[in-house]
Amino acid sequence: MLFLYTGSCSAARYAATVRADMAAHDPALSGEWHRDHMALPDLLRQARASCPASVLAPLTAAVKRSHHIHMAVAGKLVPSGQSLLQQAGKQAGVQPTEAECDVIDDFFQVRRAPICEKAFIAQATRRLVQVVCDIRSYGLTDLEPPPQVAARHRADLDALLGSTIGRFTELADFLMTSSPSLVDLSTHTGGAMTSLTDDTKTVPITPALHRYLVGHTMAPSRVQQDLMDHTHALGTVAEMRIPHEQAALLTLLTKLTAARDIIDIGTFTGYSALALALGSPPDGRVITCDTSTEWTGIAQDAWKQAGVADRIELRLGPALETLRSLPHEPTIDLAFIDADKPSYCDYWEELLPRVRPGGVLLADNVLYSGDAANPDATGNAQAIRDFNAHVHNDPRVENVMLPIADGLTLTRKRNDEHLTMEACS
């Protein structure tokens, strides 16, 4: 992370560009030091109680070296001592508030929470690509800290910087060989902390940014909020409910397409069916499919309270059987798939011929917590990969994959009725 500052970043550039971006992002990033680095010594103290000496010694050395490098970078970029790493005007030992942490996380596009190994590797790789491009384009500027810092930490700095260029060149070659889609040096024109390719312009959703996003989406109705609360009380299965921002999108798409004949695959507690019904006209019909009487009982109560129960028809039983029982004529205006992942391709092939030209098909969970991008995916993630490839290569539709919630594919059926495609195996 530090090399994002030090690759081609001089003190002048830091003051004129980076610090200006920080201040524009949030007034809290005003130039006073931030205290989130205090977590490292705290974690080290906790580790001393449980880690064997063989583990603790290199860990202690790494934390010490990290502190030395932080001080050297701060000394180079901010000679006045006013940097994000200090105390933010508060007494030493005072922990940062959650709001302060959110500001930092939001600016640096990180998330202060446990993540899986794959997500960590993806985040680290993205930052390493930025560093590699910057250093290869502009070279590494001289990291010469103030004399008082150099006198104490010269050995650590020399050890770190001695082979930096060579190591980063090797890393660049490895990344471009193993994952060429990650980096395109020909498109890189900026300096440190700039976007490299279009994919880096997609903002990672931190907790603070997600709260901002939800806060600027049309608010849930009283019935919707009650249904969310009721579903949340069910425990871990509540993760099957679509988030409200996705429900708001479903309602809006239903209105935009003037959809009357709608299919909802996967009812659960009825949040998606409710969103679709709220967007449909009074004579609209939402057929929703599920196999659970317990969860759909909750759904039916909510639909009645919202005054749209007459627009929703619940079909209990396997969804494929329900779809195959529908007329073969292309009359469906909009369909939403959010059920068992191995059946996605089968649902698609039953639905698409029944969707009118210009109609919309939506599929949820197409990112599958990020695992859909893994070539070595298994189980549900592999089923989603197969479905995504099937849709992308289907000439009968126009498609776009949206990074909303767990990923949402939005497709429109073309008017070319003669186009056909075999179902995925």
Side-chain angles (χ1 to χ4, degrees), residues 196-269:
L196 306 179
T197 55
D198 286 346
D199 68 305
T200 64
K201 296 179 74 174
T202 298
V203 179
I205 302 298
T206 64
L209 191 55
H210 183 258
R211 288 195 291 271
Y212 181 83
L213 181 152
V214 173
H216 288 75
T217 297
M218 56 183 178
S221 66
R222 180 189 57 79
V223 174
Q224 286 179 309
Q225 186 61 58
D226 289 346
L227 181 54
M228 283 193 283
D229 294 341
H230 195 163
T231 304
H232 179 72
L234 296 175
T236 56
V237 296
E239 66 182 11
M240 292 193 292
R241 176 185 63 82
I242 63 171
H244 177 68
E245 64 269 24
Q246 191 175 29
L249 178 61
L250 292 182
T251 299
L252 191 59
L253 285 173
T254 304
K255 291 181 177 180
L256 288 171
T257 58
R260 282 181 166 79
D261 195 349
I262 302 167
I263 304 293
D264 176 42
I265 307 298
T267 310
F268 188 40
T269 57

Side-chain angles (χ1 to χ4, degrees), residues 262-417:
I262 302 167
I263 304 293
D264 176 42
I265 307 298
T267 310
F268 188 40
T269 57
Y271 206 72
S272 58
L274 176 58
L276 293 165
L278 289 172
S280 67
D283 61 345
R285 181 183 67 158
V286 178
I287 294 178
T288 184
C289 309
D290 209 292
T291 58
S292 168
T293 56
E294 177 186 1
W295 293 336
T296 55
I298 298 172
Q300 289 174 308
D301 288 342
W303 301 336
K304 291 177 183 177
Q305 294 175 35
V308 294
D310 59 332
R311 304 182 200 178
I312 303 175
E313 180 183 346
L314 174 63
R315 301 276 187 97
L316 288 174
L320 274 177
E321 293 181 9
T322 297
L323 293 178
R324 289 166 180 163
S325 70
L326 297 176
H328 289 275
E329 289 75 18
T331 59
I332 296 173
D333 299 308
L334 186 149
F336 178 56
I337 304 173
D338 182 20
D340 58 307
K341 311 315 168 191
S343 298
Y344 264 37
C345 282
D346 293 330
Y347 296 146
W348 176 266
E349 286 303 321
E350 291 297 333
L351 280 167
L352 189 55
R354 294 173 167 85
V355 172
R356 65 170 174 80
V360 172
L361 281 87
L362 301 156
D364 196 17
N365 304 116
V366 293
L367 296 180
Y368 207 73
S369 299
D371 289 341
N374 181 6
D376 299 322
T378 59
N380 282 348
Q382 183 58 53
I384 288 294
R385 280 181 63 85
D386 292 342
F387 172 75
N388 291 341
H390 185 64
V391 172
H392 184 63
N393 294 314
D394 194 329
R396 296 171 293 180
V397 297
E398 301 162 300
N399 71 293
V400 61
M401 187 179 290
L402 303 174
I404 182 173
D406 194 28
L408 181 72
T409 287
L410 168 63
T411 67
R412 174 186 177 273
K413 185 176 179 180
R414 296 179 185 272
N415 295 324
D416 304 316
E417 288 296 305

Side-chain angles (χ1 to χ4, degrees), residues 51 53 66 70 87 133 217 219 260:
C51 291
S66 174
H70 271 84
Q87 287 297 321
C133 290
T217 297
R260 282 181 166 79

